[in-house]
Amino acid sequence: MYRKIDHHILKKLGEIAGQENVISDQEKITDYSHDESSSRDIAHPPEVVVKPGRAEEVAAVLELASHERIPVTPRGGATGLCGGCVPVYGGIVLSLERMNRIIELDRDNQMAVVEPGVTLGEFNRAVEEAGLSFPPHPGDESAQIGGLIATNAGGSRAVKYGVIRNYVRGLEVVLPQGEIIRLGGKLMKTSTGYSLLQLLIGSEGTLGVITRAVIQLLPALPVTRSLVIPFADIGAAIETVPLLLGRKITPLAVEFIEAEVIRITEEFLRKRWPSRAGETYLLVILDASSEEEMDLLSEAVAEVCLGKGGIDVFIADTPKKQDEVLEIRSKIYEAIKSQTVEILDICIPRAEIAGHVRRVREISKKRAIWLPTFGHAADGNVHTHIMKARCAEGKMIPVPDEEWRAKVDLVRDELYADCRARGGVISGEHGIGLVKKPFLSLVLDDVQIRLMKEIKKLFDPHLILNPGKIFDS
Ligand SMILES: Cc1cc2nc3c(=O)[nH]c(=O)nc-3n(C[C@H](O)[C@H](O)[C@H](O)COP(=O)(O)OP(=O)(O)OC[C@H]3O[C@@H](n4cnc5c(N)ncnc54)[C@H](O)[C@@H]3O)c2cc1C
């Protein structure tokens, strides 16, 4: 169906992007065959990696690929968790890593204009230095702006500040046949025709390649503080969240985390979490405009949590203490990665979250499989990890392959059935990519999937851009 890369194509790619930016060395291209999904079974090498430096080069690559019927897979920081940037049909991996300039930080409009290869870490640093903020923290620090927009990444701060979709005001996009379009701009509003901008956000590199973005910023957050509250029971911890929101307290983030993964991560990092009590923690992060307001907010959160069975309240009020807590939280993924088979990204109405987590516990017990579960409690976004180890006394003990392999599909099916029954979706922030593709029809009806396929064909008649992702065209 697709044409293979030959010398003729390699030469043309070199003329477009420069020979030094066209990599076909077998050893080097292996690095471009996977993302951060735990399942390495899905890895697939490209035939060539091209690193364009400008939108016009992206356009020329796509025009050539459309004409010659060569698959092209856009790639950002490859921190994705669903195989979105894996080139399943080989062909070209289009790595945006060289397009990494912050073009403008416009203080008057509070907007940034950036290229897609800027990483989240670099972006946040530059924005802070300019005295502004980009409040959502929607991914790993090495994720790139293009990848974050293509997956509509979320993150723990979505409860107060929304997901990346809420911040993207403009995009420059190269379409699969090589046309360059500019959508939106430094605008706070538009009611001007269908929003192609919103369609492109979250389209997982299947409709176009993002080559520039206009991102809205906010004034810097004056004071932040993290509270760690241990609970004896996960249900009580999660049920605290609607009580907080009911008291008109909207935290920057509310995470629930089981104690056993905290213990493993403490060991992994050789760092100490502030509490050893309880079996579950709520991590509540607050922002406020002054220390006085922060004290009042913290007291109100403590009162609600202690009233619901919280054992204690630990306050990380200095940058050092906050960094320690946040580092442990952000490294859980890495600490348990070696024994993770699959990470689910279920999002349900937030009032359903306690019920869903209880169901996870039941399934874990019934099937005798370890399913550590944590996530964004106030968004209803739950990351259950399907594991190939059991956990005993803070250690991961591998179980035989045949034992866990027989259970993975059953467990996933049961959890997705619970998600569907509660009116949820199978991805809150990671996207569908390759890994979740077989399950899309569990939560979207035939009409929606047909419309999506028709949109795909309209943008990409030769189906060359990131084929095999989200659905089979
Ligand atoms: C430790 C860790 C923590 C994470 N935390 C979060 C979190 O809190 N919230 C969250 O939402 N996710 C999180 N993620 C997942 C990941 O960081 C996000 O999905 C992120 O958006 C992926 O960006 P990337 O640049 O790495 O994209 P990649 O993995 O390279 O690609 C992802 C998708 O975007 C497409 N793409 C990439 N660049 C472009 C472009 N320029 N134009 C068009 N399409 C493009 C690719 O084709 C692919 O479909 C986490 C991952 C890890 C490993």
Side-chain angles (χ1 to χ4, degrees):
M1 174 183 172
Y2 291 114
R3 176 172 171 174
K4 289 276 163 208
I5 304 281
D6 55 22
H7 287 299
H8 166 74
I9 301 290
L10 282 179
K11 186 164 166 281
K12 285 203 160 179
L13 291 171
E15 282 162 12
I16 294 169
Q19 241 10 291
E20 68 284 12
N21 299 312
V22 175
I23 302 166
S24 53
D25 179 304
Q26 287 305 312
E27 220 171 287
K28 289 191 185 142
I29 58 179
T30 313
D31 288 347
Y32 293 82
S33 63
H34 58 82
D35 65 0
E36 274 292 330
S37 328
S38 27
S39 170
R40 289 289 158 117
D41 305 346
I42 60 164
H44 195 289
E47 291 159 71
V48 60
V49 177
V50 182
K51 301 179 185 180
R54 295 182 306 124
E56 290 70 21
E57 292 174 14
V58 174
V61 171
L62 289 179
E63 196 181 345
L64 173 72
S66 261
H67 188 260
E68 300 290 346
R69 312 288 194 265
I70 298 166
V72 178
T73 306
R75 179 183 167 103
T79 68
L81 295 170
C82 60
C85 67
V86 175
V88 265
Y89 291 101
I92 300 169
V93 157
L94 195 69
S95 173
L96 282 306
E97 66 200 88
R98 286 181 58 234
M99 295 180 66
N100 61 357
R101 287 180 308 150
I102 296 175
I103 294 164
E104 191 187 357
L105 284 167
D106 175 347
R107 288 183 179 80
D108 291 342
N109 282 305
Q110 297 193 333
M111 301 267 176
V113 181
V114 292
E115 289 188 328
V118 174
T119 65
L120 179 62
E122 289 159 359
F123 184 61
N124 279 338
R125 278 189 290 282
V127 167
E128 270 169 38
E129 276 166 25
L132 293 163
S133 75
F134 173 57
H137 194 284
D140 187 67
E141 293 267 305
S142 51
Q144 297 178 2
I145 295 291
L148 293 163
I149 296 172
T151 53
N152 185 27
S156 58
R157 294 172 170 198
V159 52
K160 184 158 188 179
Y161 287 107
V163 298
I164 196 159
R165 183 185 295 286
N166 306 107
Y167 293 82
V168 179
R169 299 289 169 196
L171 284 180
E172 178 187 77
V173 178
V174 183
L175 299 180
Q177 291 179 286
E179 298 127 307
I180 302 178
I181 56 168
R182 292 180 184 91
L183 307 167
K186 292 179 181 173
L187 305 169
M188 294 303 289
K189 294 164 92 172
T190 164
S191 288
T192 313
Y194 293 167
S195 179
L196 298 180
L197 179 82
Q198 294 301 331
L199 178 60
L200 264 296
I201 300 168
S203 63
E204 299 191 43
T206 62
L207 300 180
V209 177
I210 297 159
T211 48
R212 192 173 282 209
V214 180
I215 304 204
Q216 194 201 331
L217 304 171
L218 293 181
L221 305 174
V223 191
T224 62
R225 189 178 282 178
S226 299
L227 277 62
V228 171
I229 306 114
F231 284 81
D233 168 50
I234 192 166
I238 295 170
E239 281 159 10
T240 306
V241 177
L243 301 180
L244 289 175
L245 299 172
R247 287 270 301 261
K248 298 203 175 104
I249 303 167
T250 309
L252 189 60
V254 188
E255 302 277 289
F256 70 97
I257 317 161
E258 291 169 321
E260 54 191 9
V261 289
I262 291 288
R263 300 288 89 83
I264 292 169
T265 314
E266 280 181 311
E267 182 79 4
F268 177 75
L269 291 176
R270 304 247 166 247
K271 295 230 156 112
R272 290 283 282 194
W273 186 251
S275 163
R276 304 197 77 72
E279 71 150 74
T280 300
Y281 300 104
L282 269 194
L283 168 61
V284 180
I285 309 176
L286 300 167
D287 68 334
S289 52
S290 66
E291 289 292 346
E292 293 71 35
E293 189 192 337
M294 178 59 84
D295 288 342
L296 289 174
L297 259 179
S298 307
E299 275 166 33
V301 170
E303 190 187 308
V304 172
C305 291
L306 295 173
K308 188 71 193 164
I311 298 168
D312 209 337
V313 178
F314 296 86
I315 297 181
D317 49 1
T318 62
K320 186 170 178 287
K321 284 192 212 162
Q322 284 215 56
D323 286 351
E324 268 171 21
V325 167
L326 298 182
E327 190 185 356
I328 293 181
R329 164 61 188 98
S330 69
K331 296 286 178 190
I332 296 174
Y333 161 81
E334 225 172 288
I336 63 173
K337 181 176 159 183
S338 67
Q339 300 301 321
T340 302
V341 181
E342 194 169 324
I343 303 175
L344 303 187
D345 179 32
I346 284 172
C347 191
I348 46 182
R350 58 187 172 200
E352 296 288 334
I353 205 166
H356 178 70
V357 173
R358 278 196 203 96
R359 181 74 185 126
V360 176
R361 290 276 171 109
E362 279 166 25
I363 294 169
S364 168
K365 203 165 163 198
K366 178 177 82 177
R367 303 247 173 239
I369 184 165
W370 184 33
L371 301 174
T373 297
F374 45 93
H376 315 309
D379 306 336
N381 192 190
V382 185
H383 298 308
T384 296
H385 288 47
I386 305 181
M387 304 296 288
K388 56 183 174 182
R390 62 189 173 82
C391 180
E393 291 166 11
K395 300 255 176 308
M396 295 193 290
I397 300 160
V399 297
D401 277 6
E402 59 283 7
E403 203 178 296
W404 62 263
R405 275 190 203 282
K407 295 175 186 171
V408 173
D409 288 347
L410 296 169
V411 166
R412 188 195 313 99
D413 287 353
E414 286 176 327
L415 289 173
Y416 280 169
D418 189 70
C419 158
R420 193 182 141 116
R422 294 178 194 277
V425 288
I426 58 171
S427 177
E429 57 182 18
H430 296 161
I432 299 299
L434 192 58
V435 174
K436 296 190 175 70
K437 179 172 74 169
F439 314 106
L440 189 68
S441 60
L442 292 177
V443 287
L444 297 188
D445 63 36
D446 293 349
V447 180
Q448 292 182 68
I449 295 177
R450 175 171 56 76
L451 283 171
M452 288 186 193
K453 288 184 179 179
E454 284 171 9
I455 290 170
K456 167 72 179 165
K457 282 205 187 110
L458 198 62
F459 275 74
D460 183 13
H462 305 304
L463 305 177
I464 55 114
L465 193 60
N466 211 358
K469 306 297 163 57
I470 311 180
F471 41 72
D472 286 317
S473 301

